Amino acid sequence: MGRRELLEMIWSDSLDRKRYPDVARPVVAVFGPRGSGKTSILGELVSRAELQASQPFVSVLNLENLDSGMQSWQLVGKLAYALTSARWTQFGRLKFPRFALGRLITEGKVTTKSPEETQSAIEDILVQARRIGERRDDLAGLVGQLPQLLGLPSLLGAGTVIARAIPSKWLVASLYRTGIEFYRTALRKPPGGGFQALVELREWGQSPRQHGDDLARVLCEAFLADLAANYAHGFRPRNCLVLLDNIDVAVGQRFMSALQAARARRAGRADPLVVVVTSRRIDLSHPSLTTSAESDYVAMWATIPADGSASFADWAARQAGSPHSAVYPVRLTDLSLEHVGHIAAQHFSRGSENIARLVFSLTRGHPWSVAKVLAAYGRLERVSGDLAEPDLRRLFALRCEGDPAGFADLAAKALLLDDLSRVRSQDVVTWAAARDVATGEDCLPATRGIQAQVAALGWLSRGEGHGDAAGAPVLNAWLRRLLLHKLSQLADGRVSWLDTFARLARHAMDDGRLSTDEHYYLLAAGQFSGATGYLNDQFDRLDAEGWIETFNLVTSAPRPSGSPNGVVPAPPRSAQDAQTAHGMLTAELIAEVPPSSELPDSDQHGERWVTIAGMVVARWLWSDPLSDPALRLNPVICNGFRDLARRSPRGGLRLVAEADFYHQDGRP
């Protein structure tokens, strides 16, 4: 859902050889935070490839599941074996003699005391290999010399497997002629220096720290040369597809470096390989991306093309500007309200539109979260027969199927906390209380350094900001909501909701920032009267547009989950509806109406103060979609804006327009 342009760019433009013949093919790097749909993209490509008989492909390899010490050329071996172990329609079996010889020399039991002994040992291996067709049952000597040939590390002990993998003398002859000549050229040896190249290759294999990059590049180049040779004759309608999940792990990064270096050495010789990789970190080797700890990850995320603008023409233009990079980075965006509506309609026979709007308000279209929330509400509906307002409110406490944790804890762990150390995962909960991430680290010293870690995972963006904070990086709204829920549940005595927001309020005041920030944090701590007085005073100082912006910012302050009073979370079964909570809090607040000496001259009787007080409480509750899922407070906010419009002739039209937003069931 919502990925059509990206999928077509890969499936039609990159893989179909007729559209762009004899041109370089991209490594499509799909970026996005956890849950953005990266693995689903790979799954969709696998489904298409399984239905396309003429599409050679390597199904999804999750690199997180591989041995952390695996070398990049060993990963290439897995790819070669996957491609050679199937008989592809219109292709037959793909063969990799150059790469196989390189692995044979690199990892075989070859004497390396001197170049002469190394050459003699290699000759012995090749002599034995040439006899496979004559002595298939007597493979003891050869088996010891062929570890992991074409990715068969656990099967080489069985002669029948070798017989199937190398059914005749053909491959051996190719190893001897084609392979040796390839390495002579690749290592830039003079004519007749094939054995000299193999000796040097073996020496590289014996010194991985010193020559590991060169070895990986040459073996990857051999793999590409073999693949190109397989496509050099016959009808070849589709390029080869390789799918790698979580490329940001160490072996994935080494593979990317080797692949780019190999392609650079093959300049001018296009290969038929399309690689699609996924990463939740922007650490891939690419001119516009860097791994520096001081990098502005937020700016880098913004420079990556969004999935909706992905195209082969865009890739070609970028590649022309940076010819040494094969990477085409693409950033997955969140789903739109329309997309969420289509998905909701598949879960609910009635009321799906309202459910979709609520879920979108909560998640902002984060794909994994949309699916999980809709599934959770769907189970509730099947149990109760209908979704009542209290059911909608208790989302965070719902138990997910097959998991003992509540939804909020499960989601916070799955999306971010599992990627952080235990200490950092505790710190990030308090850090999330700040409006912008820089303020969090300034005010809460224990959280310093978190910004770079979270930004590298794609969870920060440029906020609209206000005053001095304009454009400051902010945490993803949905992830922040999940972390604030955890903060509201803390009861260890060391960190609390009230203490955290009180510290942020003092920081905003001491730092000389706008009072807007200060009252935002005080309102989060349940202190209404200061925010009401401030907004009443600002009504005379700002135009209508500026006052609405300030009102919205202050009243968007978070509130503890399940709490009707903003101080202590209420037991789940005693939660009050939005109208009742609004009435109670407003009554308490109006009892504190200041004397006329403290009110602006334009509001000496406090009538406007009372209107704004009711609006502040209503919108503070309304801003949390789980506090007012049925939008019962929209009329209160709407009527408040209409009342203010009567008191402000100059800004009346803008205030009425804002009232109409709430009258038309506007959501946070």
Side-chain angles (χ1 to χ4, degrees), residues 349-373:
S349 57
R350 54 179 179 166
S352 64
E353 183 177 348
N354 288 332
I355 293 292
R357 295 178 66 206
L358 171 62
V359 171
F360 184 76
S361 290
L362 277 169
T363 65
R364 292 302 170 193
H366 180 259
W368 180 89
S369 302
V370 167
K372 289 290 185 182
V373 173

Side-chain angles (χ1 to χ4, degrees), residues 553-621:
L553 192 153
V554 171
T555 57
S556 64
R559 55 185 296 273
S561 302
S563 170
N565 58 12
V567 179
V568 180
R573 294 189 179 182
S574 66
Q576 295 157 301
D577 66 30
Q579 289 174 316
T580 304
H582 174 261
M584 291 173 55
L585 293 171
T586 304
E588 292 177 14
L589 178 57
I590 290 178
E592 302 175 10
V593 63
S596 58
S597 60
E598 298 180 14
L599 293 169
D601 293 340
S602 56
D603 188 33
Q604 289 192 353
H605 300 290
E607 294 176 353
R608 192 177 71 194
W609 190 97
V610 170
T611 296
I612 292 175
M615 294 173 67
V616 167
V617 174
R619 197 177 186 281
W620 182 64
L621 294 169

Side-chain angles (χ1 to χ4, degrees), residues 27 71-80 83 95-103 106-107 182-183 186-187 201 204 211-230 242 244 247 251-267 269-275 277 326:
V27 176
Q71 299 300 317
S72 55
W73 64 83
Q74 293 171 319
L75 175 56
V76 176
K78 280 185 167 291
L79 305 182
L83 291 169
K95 301 176 178 65
F96 297 87
R98 298 167 183 81
F99 175 75
L101 177 61
R103 286 290 297 276
T106 300
E107 299 184 89
F182 168 80
Y183 288 105
L187 274 66
L201 188 70
W204 287 0
H211 297 291
D213 291 344
D214 290 329
L215 180 60
R217 184 260 305 165
V218 168
L219 289 177
C220 194
E221 192 177 345
F223 171 78
L224 295 177
D226 284 331
L227 194 58
N230 281 289
V242 168
L244 302 175
I247 196 74
V251 64
Q253 293 290 277
R254 291 192 293 267
F255 169 78
M256 291 294 291
S257 297
L259 179 61
Q260 295 212 76
R263 279 185 157 168
R265 284 287 294 266
R266 288 175 50 80
R269 291 172 290 171
D271 58 73
L273 180 66
V274 176
V275 183
V277 303

Side-chain angles (χ1 to χ4, degrees), residues 386-406:
D386 196 5
L387 280 177
E389 188 175 352
D391 293 325
L392 297 173
R393 275 207 211 95
R394 63 190 184 95
L395 171 70
F396 282 171
L398 290 179
R399 293 292 184 268
C400 297
E401 192 169 4
D403 197 293

Side-chain angles (χ1 to χ4, degrees), residues 317-328:
R318 284 173 169 262
Q319 218 260 340
S322 180
H324 298 300
S325 175
V327 175
Y328 180 51

Side-chain angles (χ1 to χ4, degrees), residues 157-472:
T160 55
V161 174
I162 290 292
R164 287 199 300 270
I166 313 175
S168 70
K169 295 181 181 179
W170 180 89
L171 180 56
V172 176
S174 294
L175 289 175
Y176 200 86
R177 295 193 302 267
T178 307
I180 289 180
E181 179 59 22
F182 168 80
Y183 288 105
R184 182 194 70 77
T185 304
L187 274 66
R188 298 176 178 174
K189 301 302 179 184
F195 272 108
Q196 182 184 354
L198 295 185
V199 169
E200 185 171 342
L201 188 70
R202 177 58 185 168
E203 291 173 348
W204 287 0
Q206 292 293 299
S207 306
R209 290 189 177 181
Q210 183 178 359
H211 297 291
D213 291 344
D214 290 329
L215 180 60
R217 184 260 305 165
V218 168
L219 289 177
C220 194
E221 192 177 345
F223 171 78
L224 295 177
D226 284 331
L227 194 58
N230 281 289
Y231 274 75
H233 55 83
F235 180 56
R236 304 288 189 257
R238 306 284 296 174
N239 286 304
C240 184
L241 174 65
V242 168
L243 304 170
L244 302 175
D245 205 7
N246 296 306
I247 196 74
D248 46 288
V249 300
V251 64
Q253 293 290 277
R254 291 192 293 267
F255 169 78
M256 291 294 291
S257 297
L259 179 61
Q260 295 212 76
R263 279 185 157 168
R265 284 287 294 266
R266 288 175 50 80
R269 291 172 290 171
D271 58 73
L273 180 66
V274 176
V275 183
V276 181
V277 303
T278 71
S279 177
R280 61 181 179 275
R281 301 177 189 273
I282 50 175
D283 290 347
L284 291 185
S285 301
H286 188 269
S288 65
L289 310 177
T290 174
T291 58
S292 168
E294 302 301 321
S295 299
D296 186 350
Y297 287 108
V298 179
M300 282 190 281
W301 275 105
T303 64
I304 299 174
D307 52 270
S309 62
S311 69
F312 200 86
D314 183 45
W315 139 251
R318 284 173 169 262
Q319 218 260 340
S322 180
H324 298 300
S325 175
V327 175
Y328 180 51
V330 179
R331 170 174 48 89
L332 294 186
T333 55
D334 288 333
L335 303 177
S336 67
L337 175 57
E338 182 182 5
H339 293 144
V340 176
H342 287 312
I343 300 170
Q346 300 171 16
H347 285 75
F348 302 94
S349 57
R350 54 179 179 166
S352 64
E353 183 177 348
N354 288 332
I355 293 292
R357 295 178 66 206
L358 171 62
V359 171
F360 184 76
S361 290
L362 277 169
T363 65
R364 292 302 170 193
H366 180 259
W368 180 89
S369 302
V370 167
K372 289 290 185 182
V373 173
L374 288 173
Y377 280 151
R379 284 194 296 273
L380 270 181
E381 184 188 47
R382 288 193 294 274
V383 171
S384 63
D386 196 5
L387 280 177
E389 188 175 352
D391 293 325
L392 297 173
R393 275 207 211 95
R394 63 190 184 95
L395 171 70
F396 282 171
L398 290 179
R399 293 292 184 268
C400 297
E401 192 169 4
D403 197 293
F407 175 77
D409 289 338
L410 173 74
K413 281 175 59 63
L415 299 183
L416 177 64
L417 299 185
D418 283 346
D419 281 330
L420 304 176
S421 68
R422 186 171 180 272
V423 173
R424 297 277 83 176
S425 65
Q426 293 173 335
D427 291 339
V428 78
V429 170
T430 53
W431 176 73
R435 276 191 54 227
D436 63 87
V437 298
T439 296
E441 294 192 2
D442 287 346
C443 177
L444 307 167
T447 68
R448 285 177 185 161
I450 287 181
Q451 179 180 171
Q453 294 183 45
V454 177
L457 294 168
W459 287 113
L460 300 188
S461 60
R462 295 286 177 201
E464 296 180 359
H466 186 89
D468 293 340

